[in-house]
Amino acid sequence: MDADLAAELHAETGAIVAEDSGLTIPVAGQSEAEIWCQNSPLAADHVAAGAFESAMQLLNRQVGAVNFEPLKDHFLSIFQASRAIVTGNEGMPSIMLPVRRNPSESDQRKALPVLVKNFQSLISKELQDAYKATTSNKITEACTLFRGILHSLLLTVVTQSSEAEEVLQLVGVCREYILGLSIELSRREVQNDTSAEGIKRMLELAAYFTGVQLQPKHMIISLRTAMTACYKHKNLQSAQTFARRLLELAPPGQAATLARQIQQVAERNPRDEIQLNYDQYNSFVVCGISYTPIYRGSPSVQCPYCRAHFKPEFQGNLCTICDISQVGGTGTGMVVLP
């Protein structure tokens, strides 16, 4: 009690002395990290400030994010890159300095952290690497690369509205490739199953892969796979359809020759030996978990971030495409422009 009383009297005495002497006791200002958080609604800027909790809350509110484990390394790299360390004199501690992306700006209400994730670099380097892995038949690696781009985009900041549109388009590109490559991986898992159900499932997966939006050079691969698989198992009508679609893409000589030969054979007996759950004349999307078609007009739920489609029974599951958001969750929309 005496110690508390003494401390209180000391504080009061100090205040009186300061008042009598005309001194103004300084008030603690805002830290640079607090300023960054105050000035920006972007998760990337909150991460740079070290406000991981508020960054996760923003991502949850904007894209329904619930799984942040894949973003851990991104959080740490952004936080570290937004600070410079100045070594002190011998025996003195180092000084940590925040790095701004607009260092010439004198108005602290506009102060923001340095940009770490570069959108143009994602397009020119990471995206091209993912395309190259797809072309080289490194399916698992390509899936990992496309998913990594999805994770990076969540913490990317752009400066123009046109770039913001491109970001959303790239999310769609990554979604389609991850879905398509995942379907192909599933097909390869069952391709050695010689049972009637195994063959049917393999042919269906091959057909679904052709419904995913890919670059023409990769569409040629998926269509050729479906065409040859259907021809091998006497599904000549389907083989003929895939051959026609393949020829529309003007494939290289050998693929074009094969497609024409299959077309000629199929025209003599255009029927399928195995009835597939695949209707080429009815628009559909593929469920990202069951890898089965969701035809136009059928109920479905979506991932609030990557917009992948799922059947209603998968409501509440973690999205298997982005591995970040909850299927059927809600979000106000991705924000990448200050």
Coordinates of all heavy atoms in Angstrom, one line a residue, residues 119-120 158-169 336-337:
F119 N 3.2 -8.4 -59.5 CA 2.2 -9.1 -60.4 C 2.8 -9.4 -61.7 O 2.6 -10.5 -62.2 CB 1.0 -8.2 -60.6 CG 0.0 -8.8 -61.5 CD1 -0.6 -10.0 -61.2 CD2 -0.4 -8.1 -62.7 CE1 -1.6 -10.6 -62.1 CE2 -1.4 -8.7 -63.5 CZ -1.9 -9.9 -63.2
Q120 N 3.6 -8.5 -62.3 CA 4.2 -8.8 -63.6 C 5.2 -9.9 -63.5 O 5.3 -10.7 -64.5 CB 4.9 -7.5 -64.1 CG 3.9 -6.4 -64.5 CD 2.8 -6.8 -65.4 OE1 3.0 -7.6 -66.4 NE2 1.6 -6.3 -65.2
V158 N -1.6 -4.2 -56.7 CA -1.4 -3.6 -58.0 C -1.7 -2.1 -57.9 O -2.3 -1.7 -56.9 CB -2.2 -4.3 -59.1 CG1 -1.8 -5.7 -59.3 CG2 -3.7 -4.2 -58.8
T159 N -1.3 -1.3 -58.9 CA -1.5 0.1 -58.8 C -2.5 0.6 -59.9 O -2.9 1.8 -59.9 CB -0.2 0.8 -59.0 OG1 0.4 0.4 -60.3 CG2 0.8 0.5 -57.9
Q160 N -3.0 -0.2 -60.8 CA -3.9 0.2 -61.8 C -5.1 -0.7 -61.9 O -5.0 -1.9 -61.6 CB -3.2 0.2 -63.2 CG -2.0 1.1 -63.2 CD -1.3 1.0 -64.6 OE1 -1.9 0.5 -65.6 NE2 -0.1 1.5 -64.6
S161 N -6.3 -0.2 -62.2 CA -7.5 -1.0 -62.2 C -7.4 -2.0 -63.3 O -8.0 -3.1 -63.2 CB -8.7 -0.1 -62.5 OG -8.5 0.7 -63.7
S162 N -6.7 -1.8 -64.4 CA -6.5 -2.8 -65.5 C -5.8 -4.0 -64.9 O -6.1 -5.1 -65.3 CB -5.8 -2.2 -66.7 OG -4.5 -1.7 -66.3
E163 N -4.8 -3.7 -64.1 CA -4.1 -4.9 -63.5 C -4.9 -5.6 -62.5 O -4.8 -6.9 -62.4 CB -2.8 -4.3 -62.8 CG -1.7 -3.9 -63.7 CD -0.4 -3.6 -62.9 OE1 -0.5 -3.0 -61.9 OE2 0.7 -4.0 -63.3
A164 N -5.8 -4.9 -61.8 CA -6.7 -5.6 -60.9 C -7.6 -6.6 -61.7 O -7.9 -7.7 -61.2 CB -7.6 -4.6 -60.2
E165 N -8.1 -6.2 -62.9 CA -8.8 -7.1 -63.7 C -8.0 -8.3 -64.2 O -8.5 -9.4 -64.2 CB -9.4 -6.3 -65.0 CG -10.5 -5.3 -64.7 CD -11.7 -6.0 -64.2 OE1 -12.0 -7.1 -64.7 OE2 -12.4 -5.4 -63.3
E166 N -6.8 -8.0 -64.5 CA -5.9 -9.1 -64.9 C -5.7 -10.1 -63.7 O -5.5 -11.3 -64.0 CB -4.5 -8.6 -65.3 CG -4.6 -7.8 -66.7 CD -3.2 -7.3 -67.1 OE1 -2.2 -8.1 -67.0 OE2 -3.1 -6.1 -67.5
V167 N -5.6 -9.6 -62.5 CA -5.5 -10.5 -61.4 C -6.6 -11.5 -61.3 O -6.5 -12.7 -61.1 CB -5.4 -9.7 -60.0 CG1 -5.5 -10.6 -58.8 CG2 -4.0 -8.9 -60.0
L168 N -7.8 -10.9 -61.4 CA -9.0 -11.8 -61.4 C -9.0 -12.8 -62.5 O -9.4 -14.0 -62.4 CB -10.3 -10.9 -61.5 CG -10.5 -10.0 -60.3 CD1 -11.8 -9.2 -60.5 CD2 -10.6 -10.7 -59.0
Q169 N -8.6 -12.4 -63.7 CA -8.5 -13.3 -64.8 C -7.5 -14.4 -64.6 O -7.7 -15.6 -64.9 CB -8.1 -12.5 -66.1 CG -9.1 -11.6 -66.6 CD -8.6 -10.7 -67.8 OE1 -7.5 -10.9 -68.3 NE2 -9.4 -9.7 -68.1
V336 N -7.1 -6.0 -54.3 CA -5.7 -5.9 -54.6 C -5.2 -4.5 -55.0 O -4.1 -4.2 -55.2 CB -5.3 -6.8 -55.8 CG1 -5.4 -8.3 -55.3 CG2 -6.1 -6.5 -57.0
L337 N -6.2 -3.6 -55.1 CA -5.9 -2.2 -55.5 C -6.2 -1.3 -54.3 O -7.3 -1.3 -53.7 CB -6.8 -1.8 -56.7 CG -6.6 -0.4 -57.3 CD1 -5.2 -0.4 -58.0 CD2 -7.7 -0.2 -58.3

